[in-house]
C-alpha cells in the first residue's frame, strides 16, 4: 500500500507537469479568467505533488537507512554471539576431552556416548560415597568432641546413708546428676575410728545415666554398734571418687571427696551438718 501511494504521487506529479506544459497549446483563449485560474491551480497542484513526492522519497530513504543500520547491528550482534558460542564450544571440547579419554580407558569396547554415560554413573556413585564418608567423618569428629567434653567434665553426685528397716543394715545411696563414669571407694567409721564397713580392697567402677541411683550394703548392722537404749552415737562417711578419665586427662578437678557425719540411734539415723 505504501509503495502504491508513492508511485501514485510520482505519476500525478509527472502528469500535472505534462498537462501544465501542454495547456498553452490546447486552450484557445489564453486571456480568459478561467484559463488563468486553471493554470494557477495546475501549477499549485504540480508543486504540491512534487513536494509530497520529494518528502516521501526522503522519508523512505531515512527509513531504509535506519533499517539497514539495524540489520547491520543485528548481524554484528549475531556474529559476536556465534563467535562466543564457538569459543564456548572449544572450551567445552577441551574440558570434556579428558573425560572422554577416561571413559574410553575404562570402557574401551563401548562407543563414546555410552562410555561417557557409564562414566557419569561412576562419578555419581563416587559423589554419593564421598558424601557418606564426609557424613561419617563429621559424626566421628562430633563423637570425639562429645567424648572430649565428657572427659573434661567433673562428676556430679551426692551420697547418703540410710537404715534398711527390715535388715537393720546401713545402706549407701549414690545419686548421680550427670553421666560421668567414676571409680570410688568409701568407708564408714565410728568416733573412735572403728570401721563399721565396708573394708574395700580396691576401687569400684560405675557407669551411670543422669538421675540414676545406686545402693550398696555397708555390711554393718545397727545392732552391732552396741548403742544403749535411748542413747546415740556418731558415725562418719568418707566417700572418695574420681572420673575414670582422670589419669588420662591429669586433671585434679575430676576427683573429689564427700564427707558426712550422722547421728545414729538404735532405731533411726540423722545426717548432721557437713564436716
Amino acid at each position: 500500500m505504501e509503495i502504491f501511494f508513492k508511485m501514485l504521487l510520482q505519476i500525478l506529479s509527472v502528469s500535472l507537469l505534462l498537462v501544465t506544459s501542454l495547456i498553452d497549446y490546447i486552450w484557445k483563449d489564453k486571456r480568459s479568467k478561467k484559463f488563468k485560474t486553471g493554470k494557477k491551480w495546475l501549477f499549485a497542484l504540480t508543486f504540491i505533488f512534487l513536494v509530497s513526492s520529494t518528502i516521501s522519497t526522503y522519508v523512505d530513504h531515512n527509513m531504509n537507512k535506519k533499517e539497514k543500520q539495524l540489520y547491520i547491528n543485528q548481524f554484528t550482534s549475531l556474529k559476536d554471539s556465534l563467535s562466543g558460542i564457538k569459543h564456548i564450544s572449544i572450551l567445552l571440547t577441551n574440558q570434556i576431552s579428558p573425560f572422554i579419554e577416561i571413559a574410553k580407558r575404562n570402557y574401551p569396547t563401548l562407543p563414546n556416548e555410552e562410555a561417557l554415560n557409564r562414566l557419569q554413573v561412576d562419578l555419581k556413585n563416587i559423589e554419593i560415597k564421598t558424601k557418606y564418608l564426609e557424613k561419617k567423618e563429621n559424626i566421628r569428629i562430633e563423637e570425639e568432641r562429645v567424648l572430649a567434653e565428657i572427659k573434661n567434665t567433673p562428676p556430679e553426685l551426692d551420697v547418703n546413708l540410710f537404715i534398711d528397716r527390715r535388715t537393720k543394715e546401713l545402706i549407701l545411696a549414690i545419686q548421680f546428676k550427670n553421666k560421668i563414669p567414676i571409680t570410688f571407694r568409701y568407708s564408714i567409721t565410728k568416733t573412735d575410728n572403728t570401721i563399721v564397713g565396708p573394708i574395700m580392697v580396691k576401687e569400684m567402677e560405675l557407669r551411670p545415666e543422669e538421675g540414676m541411683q545406686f545402693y550398696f550394703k555397708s555390711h554393718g548392722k545397727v545392732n552391732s554398734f552396741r548403742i544403749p537404749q535411748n542413747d546415740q552415737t556418731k558415725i562418719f562417711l568418707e566417700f572418695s571418687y574420681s572420673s575414670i578419665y582422670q589419669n588420662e586427662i591429669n586433671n585434679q578437678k575430676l576427683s573429689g571427696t564427700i564427707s558426712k557425719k550422722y547421728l545414729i540411734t538404735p532405731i533411726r539415723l540423722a545426717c548432721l551438718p557437713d564436716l
Side-chain angles (χ1 to χ4, degrees):
M1 187 68 181
E2 186 177 351
I3 295 175
F4 175 76
F5 177 72
K6 293 176 182 178
M7 292 177 63
L8 181 62
L9 283 177
Q10 292 177 358
I11 292 171
L12 288 174
S13 298
V14 173
S15 299
L16 288 171
L17 184 63
L18 182 61
V19 170
T20 303
S21 302
L22 295 176
I23 196 171
D24 289 335
Y25 299 100
I26 298 172
W27 204 282
K28 293 182 179 180
D29 188 4
K30 299 180 180 62
R31 291 178 296 177
S32 66
K33 185 176 180 180
K34 191 175 182 180
F35 173 78
K36 293 179 180 179
T37 303
K39 195 170 183 179
K40 288 180 181 179
W41 275 106
L42 284 173
F43 276 119
L45 288 173
T46 302
F47 177 77
I48 290 171
F49 280 104
L50 282 174
V51 170
S52 298
S53 178
T54 303
I55 292 174
S56 176
T57 303
Y58 176 77
V59 171
D60 185 58
H61 173 73
N62 283 341
M63 289 182 65
N64 289 336
K65 186 176 180 181
K66 288 181 180 180
E67 287 180 0
K68 183 179 179 181
Q69 187 61 42
L70 179 62
Y71 291 146
I72 292 173
N73 294 339
Q74 289 178 346
F75 176 77
T76 304
S77 177
L78 180 61
K79 186 178 179 182
D80 294 339
S81 299
L82 291 174
S83 177
I85 292 172
K86 183 179 179 181
H87 179 67
I88 293 173
S89 176
I90 293 172
L91 289 177
L92 289 175
T93 302
N94 294 335
Q95 290 176 357
I96 202 173
S97 294
F99 292 99
I100 295 176
E101 293 178 4
I102 296 172
K104 292 300 293 181
R105 187 164 59 247
N106 291 346
Y107 305 100
T109 60
L110 299 178
N112 286 353
E113 184 176 354
E114 189 173 349
L116 282 172
N117 290 335
R118 291 284 188 90
L119 181 62
Q120 184 180 11
V121 173
D122 293 343
L123 292 175
K124 187 66 177 179
N125 291 334
I126 292 173
E127 182 183 1
I128 293 172
K129 290 180 180 178
T130 301
K131 289 182 178 180
Y132 169 75
L133 292 175
E134 287 178 354
K135 184 178 180 180
K136 191 174 180 180
E137 179 65 13
N138 291 335
I139 292 173
R140 185 190 66 79
I141 293 172
E142 180 64 18
E143 287 176 347
E144 288 184 353
R145 185 194 67 78
V146 172
L147 181 58
E149 185 177 332
I150 291 174
K151 288 181 177 180
N152 285 280
T153 301
E156 294 182 15
L157 54 100
D158 191 20
V159 295
N160 268 303
L161 290 175
F162 67 91
I163 298 175
D164 187 328
R165 293 182 180 276
R166 185 175 59 85
T167 63
K168 302 299 181 181
E169 287 182 316
L170 286 175
I171 304 296
L172 173 70
I174 306 174
Q175 173 74 48
F176 284 90
K177 299 177 182 178
N178 61 14
K179 300 180 181 181
I180 308 303
I182 65 168
T183 57
F184 72 95
R185 68 169 64 236
Y186 72 99
S187 64
I188 303 173
T189 59
K190 295 198 298 184
T191 307
D192 58 1
N193 292 327
T194 303
I195 297 176
V196 176
I199 299 175
M200 300 186 67
V201 178
K202 62 178 182 178
E203 292 182 332
M204 296 182 65
E205 182 177 311
L206 288 178
R207 295 179 177 270
E209 291 294 328
E210 188 174 339
M212 185 176 289
Q213 286 188 343
F214 291 87
Y215 301 96
F216 296 90
K217 293 181 179 180
S218 67
H219 302 289
K221 292 190 176 183
V222 176
N223 55 15
S224 68
F225 297 161
R226 295 184 176 84
I227 303 172
Q229 190 69 22
N230 300 324
D231 200 356
Q232 59 187 17
T233 188
K234 291 180 182 178
I235 59 172
F236 300 90
L237 170 64
E238 192 82 9
F239 186 92
S240 299
Y241 65 92
S242 63
S243 167
I244 63 172
Y245 307 110
Q246 181 181 2
N247 293 334
E248 178 185 346
I249 303 300
N250 193 23
N251 184 352
Q252 295 303 316
K253 293 181 179 180
L254 301 180
S255 62
T257 300
I258 299 175
S259 299
K260 292 188 176 183
K261 62 181 178 179
Y262 296 85
L263 190 64
I264 188 170
T265 70
I267 59 172
R268 66 187 296 270
L269 181 71
C271 184
L272 299 175
D274 293 342
L275 294 174

